[in-house]
Amino acid sequence: MGELPFFRAHAALHPDHLWIWETSVYVDENQRTWLPVTIETESSLQVLMRQEDVPLGEARCPSLLAPCLLPSMWQLYPGRRYRGSDSSFWRIVYHIEASLSGMEDMLLEQLPDLEDE
């Protein structure tokens, strides 16, 4: 009987920037594509960013895209967080890469505005 493959995940390097390319597709500084899955709860907004190779269409101007809960760009900041183009901050909950598939998942959680506290 064959053995099940051993699944191993390890921490991955965070992209410096993520830019919206087209609806539901972000691109990092290495031209890797990331697909967001938005998770809304009563107390927070999270987004699971999955690095997955998808064919890129024409880049779209963010102002021509449908309104979205997510910023059109994220920039990596110190302290395991991103700052969105809308001035929001997002905590990196985890960022892992599966060694067998090379697929990366990064979970971000929006931090509350300091003005709201």
Side-chain angles (χ1 to χ4, degrees), residues 9-61:
H10 59 87
L13 294 176
H14 311 311
D16 286 330
H17 291 84
L18 291 164
W19 294 272
I20 189 81
W21 184 267
E22 58 186 79
T23 302
S24 299
V25 178
Y26 286 82
V27 175
D28 68 17
E29 64 277 5
N30 296 309
Q31 298 301 306
R32 298 182 314 151
T33 49
W34 295 79
L35 307 178
V37 176
T38 305
I39 305 160
E40 285 187 84
T41 66
E42 287 182 22
S43 60
S44 71
L45 176 62
Q46 296 181 329
V47 60
L48 176 65
M49 299 295 282
R50 174 158 288 170
Q51 194 283 308
E52 192 172 309
D53 294 331
V54 297
L56 290 174
E58 286 289 318
R60 303 285 309 268
C61 178

Side-chain angles (χ1 to χ4, degrees), residues 53-83:
D53 294 331
V54 297
L56 290 174
E58 286 289 318
R60 303 285 309 268
C61 178
S63 63
L64 298 177
L65 296 172
C68 180
L69 294 172
L70 304 178
S72 57
M73 189 270 296
W74 276 289
Q75 180 180 357
L76 185 62
Y77 262 51
R80 291 183 49 87
R81 60 190 178 145
Y82 280 92
R83 184 167 190 176

